[in-house]
Each structure stands twice: as C-alpha cells, then as structure tokens.
C-alpha cells in the first residue's frame, strides 16, 4: 500500500490515506477523481525520515528518501523542494528549518563536551530562554537502573 498526503492551499497536510498498490502510479487521480475526494494528493513514505530511507528493519537502505520525511497531519509540504516536514516545535521558537534533511534544529550548533566529560557523565540540553546549550551532569546511577519499556515514548 502506498500512502498519499492531502495538501491544502497553504501546503499544510490535512489528511493521509493508503492507496492500493495497483493505483499507486496514479494515486492523485485515484483519490481525487475515482474516490471523488478532490484535493491535491502527494505520495509520502513512512520509510523516509530526515532525508534517509529506512528498510522494514529500521536500517538505512542507501536508497533516496521520498520527499525527505513521512508526511504528518498539520505538517508542511514544500512544493519547490518536494519535501515534507513537521511544523516547528511550539516550545522551540528559535529553531530553524534545516533544508538539508528538513528537520528543525537549534540556531546554535551543539558544542563539544569539555575535556574530562564523556557522553556517559554529561549531556547538553537546549535552553530556549538563553538560546544556548546548558551542560548537565548525568546522575551516576542512571545507567544502572533498568528502564521500564512502558515509559519510553
């Protein structure tokens, strides 16, 4: 099954539907005319994320990602670059759209960890108030406790 996103006049994704394989090559016409839905429909792929195409096993395939990202309702479609991207995170108004992979990124690159710090002992978190990265120490017991998989979003 192929997936098609309906795009409104402002290039916002308003719907996503599956199209039977036999109609994939004419998905726009199939949905707009045959199904009498009207609108503009653009194919999207759930295997595309941040400009990378992933296989069913979650491993990059090396194939070209279809339209950079899988479309999401409320997200955007850029017809000039033929790319889908999510809306800007509400709690991150400073983030800018990275047009290399159509993801939102902080306006300041992530700094290197200071000497003596490792990924196991320290981490950075973006501070929207100061528009900078704050360095935090990772609690020493965080890697010792098993994580309840029900808590992972």
């Amino acid at each position: 099954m192929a997936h098609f996103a309906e795009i409104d006049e402002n290039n916002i994704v308003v719907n996503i539907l599956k199209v039977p394989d036999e109609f994939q090559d004419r998905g726009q016409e199939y949905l707009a005319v045959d199904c009498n839905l009207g609108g503009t429909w653009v194919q999207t792929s759930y295997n595309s994320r941040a400009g990378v195409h992933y296989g069913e096993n979650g491993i990059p395939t090396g194939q070209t990602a279809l339209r950079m990202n899988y479309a999401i309702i409320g997200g955007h479609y850029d017809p000039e670059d033929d790319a889908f991207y999510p809306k800007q995170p509400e709690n991150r108004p400073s983030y800018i759209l990275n047009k290399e992979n159509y993801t939102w990124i902080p306006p300041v690159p992530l700094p290197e960890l200071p000497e003596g710090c490792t990924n196991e002992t320290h981490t950075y978190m973006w501070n929207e108030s100061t528009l900078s990265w704050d360095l935090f120490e990772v609690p020493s017991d965080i890697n010792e406790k098993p994580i309840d998989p029900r808590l992972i979003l």
Side-chain angles (χ1 to χ4, degrees):
M1 292 283 226
H3 294 85
F4 280 78
E6 183 180 14
I7 311 301
D8 73 8
E9 63 278 357
N10 296 311
N11 295 315
I12 304 296
V13 177
V14 295
N15 198 1
I16 300 171
L17 295 176
K18 291 181 182 179
V19 170
D21 290 337
E22 62 267 24
F23 299 111
Q24 177 177 345
D25 292 340
R26 53 182 289 276
Q28 160 66 37
E29 181 184 4
Y30 172 77
L31 291 167
V33 179
D34 297 2
C35 296
N36 201 29
L37 297 175
T40 301
W41 296 87
V42 179
Q43 189 171 0
T44 186
S45 172
Y46 60 82
N47 292 327
S48 295
R49 292 186 302 281
V52 176
H53 182 271
Y54 293 88
E56 297 296 327
N57 58 5
I59 296 174
T61 64
Q63 297 175 358
T64 302
L66 179 64
R67 298 189 173 89
M68 293 292 178
N69 295 290
Y70 181 68
I72 57 172
I73 294 176
H76 301 270
Y77 174 67
D78 182 330
E80 288 183 25
D81 290 339
D82 195 24
F84 287 108
Y85 60 98
K87 62 183 177 180
Q88 185 171 9
E90 291 180 19
N91 61 344
R92 300 287 189 247
S94 70
Y95 275 30
I96 55 176
L97 184 62
N98 176 355
K99 287 202 168 191
E100 289 181 19
N101 60 13
Y102 276 84
T103 59
W104 293 98
I105 59 172
V108 176
L110 182 67
E112 294 289 324
L113 286 170
E115 191 171 327
C117 296
T118 68
N119 288 330
E120 288 78 32
T121 63
H122 291 80
T123 189
Y124 281 107
M125 292 194 62
W126 178 251
N127 184 327
E128 191 66 28
S129 300
T130 62
L131 301 180
S132 63
W133 292 97
D134 291 341
L135 182 63
F136 290 93
E137 188 173 348
V138 176
S140 60
D141 64 345
I142 196 163
N143 294 323
E144 296 172 9
K145 295 180 182 176
I147 297 175
D148 184 341
R150 295 172 295 173
L151 300 177
I152 299 174
L153 300 178

